[in-house]
Amino acid sequence: METILIVDDEINYTLILAAVLEDEGFETLTANSGPEAMATLAESDVDLVLTDMKMPAMDGIDLLERIKKEDADLPVIMMTAHGTVEKAVEAMQKGAYNYILKPFDNERLVLYTNKAISMYRVVKENRQLRRAVEGRYSFHNIIGKSKAMQDVFHIIRKVAPAAATVLLEGSSGTGKELVANALHFNSPRKDKPFVAVNCSALVETLLESELFGHEKGAFTGAVSMKKGRFEIADGGTLFLDEIAELSPALQVNLLRVLQERVVERVGGVKAIPVNIRLIAATNKSLKEEVAKGNFREDLFYRLNVVPITLPSLRERLEDIRPLVGHFITKYSGERNVGLPVTGIDREVERLFYEYDWPGNVRELENVIERAVVLSPEEIIQVSDLPKDFIDNAHSTLHMDGIPVDANLYDTLALVEKNMIVRALKKANYVQAHAADLLGIGKSGLNQKIKKYKLFMKDKV
């Protein structure tokens, strides 16, 4: 139920208006002065203000200006007598939604009220959507406590406020689009469009039209002019995913846009200025693609201003626990059986730590989503996991020398030993670095090295 604040220094008038609007299903609040109205707004959630124009201490214009400073979108309808129509027009210029002349009939009052309420309802829905989007993609919601991800976060913090082009490289499923969104929503462009294009999803001719737009009649089926994604993203951020898949011709066109900051629609001759921040992503090494002759070297250097390489999940194993917790919380609302899922069984955790995760974080999310929805228990068991995942995980464990039916605690010890050996090798046997990779203290690592008798003989 929407709430309307009625402001008038004539008490009887506020009571009459309240009765009319409450009959229409609205909740009403009343105030008999501007200062009282502002105090009410500070304490209450209001969807419309209906205020008289002429009041002592603070008139309707002053009240309107105060309201708009607090909430520029909150609709205000001014009530005025015939002698102050000019003031009502002034109020409209200063942001009033509408004005109504006294005396007025109830039907007109209700009509204006319903229109204002409907408009503000859309505004509030858009606010909620923006908050949801910003919450989803804000930097602090990217999950990762590992050193590899902390390094990524450090770069994001530094580069987000700038306009520099960013190149994101990493395997599929590592979160490149999530990082692109984080860069946008933590930049001065966050109130402008974020436009994403998957360069591998369309054939060359369609992708050219999608990126640069086309004029009416440019080709068969072009029945009207269409703006391209560069124009749509003007003032904001354009995210080009799978950029290694661009054809040589489109690479040339993209290079021209980056150099001259203008686009030409297909079939057009007019150069249209565009102001965009470009973020490109690929699951290939663009440097290798250049060496193979598949990608233009000059375009590579245009894109590679700030390179960010996203680690695979195998390179950030210490992030598995927080990621699992995050995805369990995320999908708990979709669960319709039993009590809420609160965690995973130790055997499941063992599988997660030893699995190769070729699909990276995206694959982990899919596995958890399915388990949360289907598990009859509060704790996810191995039997709740997809069969192909279990088969692949068991295959991985067998390759690591761990029998499928091994004792849990002996297996966990073997897993821990293997992880320590792996970290030491990766850190070139620098124990401080290996401890960082494992997410433990150096003294803790020393104790485990002694426990498992891992010395120089373990170098291979």
Side-chain angles (χ1 to χ4, degrees):
M1 180 185 298
E2 285 86 0
T3 302
I4 300 172
L5 173 61
I6 304 166
V7 188
D8 199 307
D9 58 325
E10 296 183 33
I11 297 176
N12 289 338
Y13 212 86
T14 60
L15 296 177
I16 293 170
L17 287 172
V20 170
L21 294 172
E22 286 171 4
D23 285 344
E24 295 297 322
F26 298 110
E27 184 176 338
T28 64
L29 300 170
T30 62
N32 300 122
S33 68
E36 185 182 348
M38 290 306 300
T40 301
L41 287 170
E43 298 175 354
S44 307
D45 190 9
V46 172
D47 301 282
L48 170 65
V49 177
L50 186 63
T51 180
D52 191 27
M53 178 69 72
K54 191 175 181 180
M55 296 184 295
M58 182 188 297
D59 66 11
I61 295 289
D62 292 336
L63 177 59
L64 171 68
E65 291 177 340
R66 292 279 300 277
I67 291 172
K68 290 300 177 180
K69 285 181 180 178
E70 298 296 327
D71 184 350
D73 297 316
L74 180 62
V76 179
I77 295 178
M78 313 296 295
M79 299 182 293
T80 181
H82 285 281
T84 55
V85 172
E86 290 183 0
K87 277 283 189 179
V89 173
E90 179 187 351
M92 294 287 288
Q93 293 172 341
K94 292 186 175 182
Y97 176 77
N98 210 333
Y99 70 91
I100 187 169
L101 296 176
K102 291 182 177 181
F104 47 78
D105 59 72
N106 293 349
E107 185 176 340
R108 184 179 296 273
L109 170 66
V110 172
L111 175 65
Y112 286 2
T113 297
N114 279 322
K115 285 185 176 181
I117 289 289
S118 297
M119 180 275 293
Y120 193 53
R121 187 181 298 125
V122 173
V123 169
K124 290 198 296 183
E125 288 173 356
N126 287 339
R127 283 179 180 173
Q128 291 171 355
L129 178 61
R130 180 176 292 277
R131 282 195 293 267
V133 169
E134 291 180 351
R136 179 181 177 188
Y137 294 119
S138 67
F139 163 72
H140 299 288
N141 278 351
I142 301 177
I143 308 300
K145 69 174 186 178
S146 63
K147 183 180 184 302
M149 286 306 297
Q150 290 301 315
D151 290 343
V152 170
F153 294 162
H154 177 68
I155 298 174
I156 294 175
R157 285 192 190 98
K158 294 180 69 175
V159 76
T165 300
V166 177
L167 176 62
L168 303 174
E169 292 187 317
S171 303
S172 296
T174 50
K176 294 186 288 294
E177 185 164 359
L178 191 62
V179 171
N181 274 277
L183 287 165
H184 173 74
F185 282 108
N186 286 275
S187 78
R189 297 172 179 261
K190 66 180 180 180
D191 294 324
K192 299 295 183 179
F194 175 87
V195 179
V197 181
N198 188 327
C199 298
S200 66
L202 298 170
V203 297
E204 180 181 352
T205 52
L206 291 178
L207 182 58
E208 182 181 23
S209 173
E210 194 70 22
L211 289 175
F212 307 112
H214 62 251
E215 297 290 354
K216 180 179 179 181
F219 50 83
T220 303
V223 297
S224 61
M225 183 276 289
K226 177 185 176 182
K227 289 184 177 182
R229 297 299 182 94
F230 276 94
E231 288 184 73
I232 295 171
D234 189 41
T237 302
L238 179 64
F239 174 54
L240 297 183
D241 199 5
E242 304 298 349
I243 196 151
E245 306 305 318
L246 283 181
S247 69
L250 287 181
Q251 290 180 35
V252 172
N253 290 343
L254 176 58
L255 180 62
R256 178 174 180 266
V257 173
L258 295 180
Q259 288 174 336
E260 302 180 17
R261 296 291 169 174
V262 296
V263 296
E264 286 184 11
R265 299 182 189 134
V266 177
V269 294
K270 180 182 178 181
I272 303 168
V274 289
N275 171 21
I276 58 104
R277 193 227 188 127
L278 182 67
I279 301 175
T282 176
N283 59 11
K284 299 179 180 180
S285 167
L286 281 194
K287 187 175 290 187
E288 292 179 5
E289 293 300 302
V290 170
K292 294 175 183 176
N294 297 330
F295 203 83
R296 293 182 62 98
E297 186 174 24
D298 47 3
L299 179 56
F300 167 68
Y301 287 117
R302 282 282 180 178
L303 298 174
N304 197 46
V305 179
V306 181
I308 300 177
T309 300
L310 299 184
S312 68
L313 189 53
R314 291 300 305 168
E315 297 174 291
R316 45 182 292 211
L317 290 176
E318 52 268 60
D319 290 334
I320 286 181
R321 278 187 181 176
L323 284 166
V324 167
H326 172 73
F327 293 139
I328 286 175
T329 301
K330 178 178 178 178
Y331 292 108
S332 60
E334 300 179 13
R335 182 175 168 83
N336 56 13
V337 293
L339 295 171
V341 170
T342 58
I344 60 175
D345 182 74
R346 293 182 70 177
E347 179 71 7
V348 173
E349 185 173 28
R350 178 176 70 91
L351 292 178
F352 282 2
Y353 274 103
E354 284 302 316
Y355 183 53
D356 281 339
W357 296 111
N360 292 295
V361 178
R362 184 185 297 137
E363 184 181 6
L364 174 61
E365 180 174 4
N366 291 341
V367 169
I368 294 297
E369 179 183 10
R370 178 188 185 278
V372 168
V373 172
L374 298 180
S375 175
E377 307 292 338
E378 296 176 71
I379 301 296
I380 294 173
Q381 307 293 325
V382 172
S383 58
D384 301 319
L385 305 177
K387 184 178 184 303
D388 58 344
F389 171 82
I390 296 173
D391 292 342
N392 291 335
H394 281 163
S395 175
T396 300
L397 291 177
H398 181 71
M399 287 188 293
D400 283 347
I402 303 173
V404 174
D405 57 352
N407 175 276
L408 175 60
Y409 295 102
D410 290 342
T411 301
L412 289 174
L414 185 54
V415 169
E416 183 177 57
K417 178 181 177 181
N418 286 345
M419 289 180 66
I420 291 171
V421 171
R422 184 185 304 159
L424 286 168
K425 290 178 180 177
K426 189 172 182 180
N428 198 27
Y429 292 86
V430 177
Q431 292 186 15
H433 188 191
D436 287 340
L437 292 175
L438 292 165
I440 62 177
K442 185 178 177 182
S443 60
L445 177 60
N446 282 329
Q447 292 176 6
K448 293 181 185 297
I449 288 174
K450 293 177 182 178
K451 173 183 175 182
Y452 295 116
K453 300 179 181 179
L454 301 175
F455 301 105
M456 294 303 292
K457 66 183 180 65
D458 293 299
K459 290 187 179 182
V460 295

